[in-house]
Amino acid sequence: MKIDKYSFGTGDRFGKEGTAQLDAIREMNTLGIPVVPVWNKSNREHSIIGSVPAEVRDEAQRAVRSAGYTGNYFVDADHINLETVDRFISSSDFFTIDVAHFIGKKASEDEVADFVSHHGKYRKLAIPGIPDGPEIREDFLKKLAENYLVALHEVKKIYDRIITAKGPGTFITEVSVDEAEMVQGPVELFFILAELKHLDVEVQTIAPKFSGLFAKGIDYIGDTSAFSDEFENDVAVVKFAISELGLADSLKLSVHSGSDKFSIYPSIKKAIQKFDTGIHVKTAGTTWLEEVIGLAEAGKNGLAMAKEIYAKSFERFDELAGPYATVLKIDRSELPSPTEVDTWSSIHFADALTHDTRCSAYNPHFRQLIHVGYKIAAEMGQSFRDALDEHHEIIASRVKHNLLEKHLKRLFL
């Protein structure tokens, strides 16, 4: 099984918007862009919402049947580890193996020595697209092994668990180190890929840690020019590693966007066109936010529910924001009080939440808090799901428009 050149991870926390998401993908296909959908949901999201992995597969299949879609599609076990992978195996064919929390754990001296011995032949990397390749010193290799070898061996354990259960060639493997504290430069990325090859892990997408902040639900925070150079170098490394290491020709970078990284889309587009390579992008909670906006726009009970979600999120800020602390940039002094929000019209609420920096009402702090407040909606139970059904038309229209116009077209056209 090979991943297609262009793939787009469409998170859908409550499993209601699969058809709308697929409609956006299909329209891109009619425009000549062969992008495929990857429905993704993490174990944390399943735990909070009370869903199970098989429901993601069911949603994807319903959407595909309803649309008469005949292209490829995948179901991603998002950010799994050795403790959580088993519950995803039967329903997933794409596995995002997340070992970021193992990075920095020290490998043994013997393991480090083996790493240096095996990869020491790469004393000079001449990578097309990157001028003046660096000389690779032994102390650099030792430090890299000390930081990453334990994590990569953990990848191998998880990968072998999936292979044993599903068999070789039946799934896509992504290795995710994007939630690590350390940024991986292009040289580190090459040796990570080299070690994965040495471990017989058939990786097809890799999600490195880029510089800058990929905060939830808002645009990239950082130097976009520096990101452009960094991303292009990483693409060059992936292209080089395919030929040099004999990796899968479908290997590509994966960007865990956290939603709406519009300012770096031009850099991504430029690099993949320059090197004629693929890309995988995950949009995380974008669909959930569009659901809340749609409820607000519906007015009456929908608006009241959206306001309740915010009020309870505001009250439980520490609980909801804590697990996402490293990927949030919320100034609590910029959050409106629930009393103030209670006076807002449908238009005001929707404008504050919609990611449009041209709109004076847009509030990125408000948006981030609701982004992590989906637990509140989950606790509403059937009443929230009924509201999504009742206002399906307006919500589906927003979901499709958001993915198509704000994300897919900006990336690929």
Side-chain angles (χ1 to χ4, degrees):
M1 182 179 289
K2 286 189 176 183
I3 189 67
D4 298 64
K5 186 175 183 179
Y6 302 136
S7 52
F8 204 77
T10 53
D12 187 9
R13 286 170 176 165
F14 292 93
K16 294 283 189 177
E17 315 306 332
T19 299
Q21 293 169 329
L22 185 57
D23 284 346
I25 296 288
R26 291 171 64 222
E27 188 154 336
M28 287 300 292
N29 294 164
T30 66
L31 295 173
I33 307 299
V35 61
V36 301
V38 181
W39 278 277
N40 57 274
K41 197 169 182 179
S42 70
N43 189 68
R44 175 164 58 187
E45 290 166 358
H46 281 299
S47 299
I48 289 173
I49 290 168
S51 54
V52 295
E55 293 177 49
V56 183
R57 170 68 63 182
D58 292 343
E59 178 194 6
Q61 291 177 335
R62 284 195 304 272
V64 166
R65 285 195 300 266
S66 174
Y69 176 73
T70 57
N72 287 339
Y73 68 96
F74 301 89
V75 175
D76 178 10
D78 193 17
H79 286 283
I80 50 90
N81 55 42
L82 196 59
E83 287 70 42
T84 59
V85 63
D86 288 347
R87 66 191 303 239
F88 289 88
I89 283 176
S90 63
S91 58
S92 301
D93 51 15
F94 188 120
F95 293 83
T96 299
I97 300 176
D98 184 350
V99 293
H101 58 293
F102 285 91
I103 294 174
K105 292 190 175 183
K106 303 302 181 185
S108 71
E109 291 185 5
D110 287 344
E111 289 172 329
V112 169
D114 287 344
F115 179 92
V116 172
S117 174
H118 187 80
H119 301 296
K121 60 183 177 181
Y122 294 107
R123 293 298 185 183
K124 183 74 174 175
L125 288 177
I127 301 173
I130 301 180
D132 302 323
E135 181 180 351
I136 309 302
R137 299 171 60 89
E138 184 172 314
D139 57 349
F140 171 85
L141 288 178
K142 285 182 177 179
K143 185 67 175 177
L144 191 146
E146 289 171 355
N147 283 330
Y148 291 100
L149 204 51
V150 171
L152 295 177
H153 286 177
E154 188 70 12
V155 170
K156 174 64 171 173
K157 294 176 188 176
I158 300 167
Y159 179 80
D160 285 349
R161 176 79 67 89
I162 303 168
I163 283 277
T164 299
K166 296 183 75 73
T170 60
F171 59 94
I172 306 300
T173 301
E174 172 168 311
V175 174
S176 167
V177 289
D178 70 297
E179 293 189 1
E181 293 183 4
M182 292 181 287
V183 173
Q184 297 91 39
V187 176
E188 287 91 345
L189 181 60
F190 173 80
F191 283 104
I192 287 171
L193 290 170
E195 181 63 14
L196 288 171
K197 174 66 175 181
H198 178 57
L199 294 172
D200 291 324
V201 173
E202 178 90 5
V203 60
Q204 292 196 53
T205 70
I206 186 159
K209 168 77 170 182
F210 299 108
S211 59
L213 179 60
F214 285 69
K216 294 292 186 182
I218 61 173
D219 209 342
Y220 175 78
I221 299 173
D223 184 336
T224 55
S225 177
F227 173 85
S228 182
D229 293 340
E230 177 184 4
F231 187 82
E232 186 167 311
N233 286 342
D234 283 350
V235 172
V237 164
V238 168
K239 192 88 171 178
F240 173 72
I242 290 172
S243 59
E244 176 67 24
L245 302 171
L247 300 177
D249 59 9
S250 53
L251 176 66
K252 58 185 180 177
L253 288 177
S254 176
V255 180
H256 293 193
S257 70
S259 304
D260 293 14
K261 300 302 175 282
F262 303 138
S263 64
I264 61 173
Y265 279 2
S267 299
I268 295 173
K269 179 180 177 180
K270 175 186 173 185
I272 63 176
Q273 288 180 344
K274 176 179 178 178
F275 288 91
D276 188 25
T277 190
I279 189 70
H280 180 60
V281 177
K282 292 187 181 182
T283 57
T286 289
T287 292
W288 147 247
L289 289 170
E290 294 302 315
E291 287 176 329
V292 180
I293 295 168
L295 289 175
E297 288 184 334
K300 297 183 180 179
N301 68 320
L303 176 60
M305 183 168 282
K307 289 178 178 179
E308 182 181 353
I309 290 169
Y310 176 70
K312 290 184 177 178
S313 297
F314 185 91
E315 293 169 4
R316 295 163 60 181
F317 180 94
D318 292 334
E319 171 195 347
L320 299 174
Y324 296 94
T326 60
V327 285
L328 291 175
K329 193 172 180 62
I330 298 176
D331 182 345
R332 296 179 74 166
S333 69
E334 296 294 325
L335 291 172
S337 70
T339 302
E340 177 187 345
V341 171
D342 199 44
T343 69
W344 288 0
S345 66
S346 290
I347 293 174
H348 191 160
F349 192 105
D351 284 350
L353 190 53
T354 299
H355 190 172
D356 181 358
T357 56
R358 299 167 300 177
C359 178
S360 60
Y362 169 58
N363 185 328
H365 311 281
F366 178 76
R367 181 174 170 88
Q368 288 178 84
L369 180 54
I370 291 185
H371 192 291
V372 299
Y374 63 95
K375 183 177 183 179
I376 305 299
E379 292 172 352
M380 291 176 172
Q382 193 58 44
S383 63
F384 178 75
R385 289 169 170 80
D386 288 345
L388 295 183
D389 291 336
E390 180 182 354
H391 303 296
H392 171 73
E393 187 174 342
I394 189 171
I395 291 171
S397 176
R398 286 207 63 100
V399 169
K400 177 183 176 181
H401 179 271
N402 175 63
L403 289 179
L404 180 64
E405 301 296 336
K406 292 186 175 182
H407 294 270
L408 291 165
K409 285 187 176 180
R410 291 187 186 189
L411 271 170
F412 297 116
L413 291 182

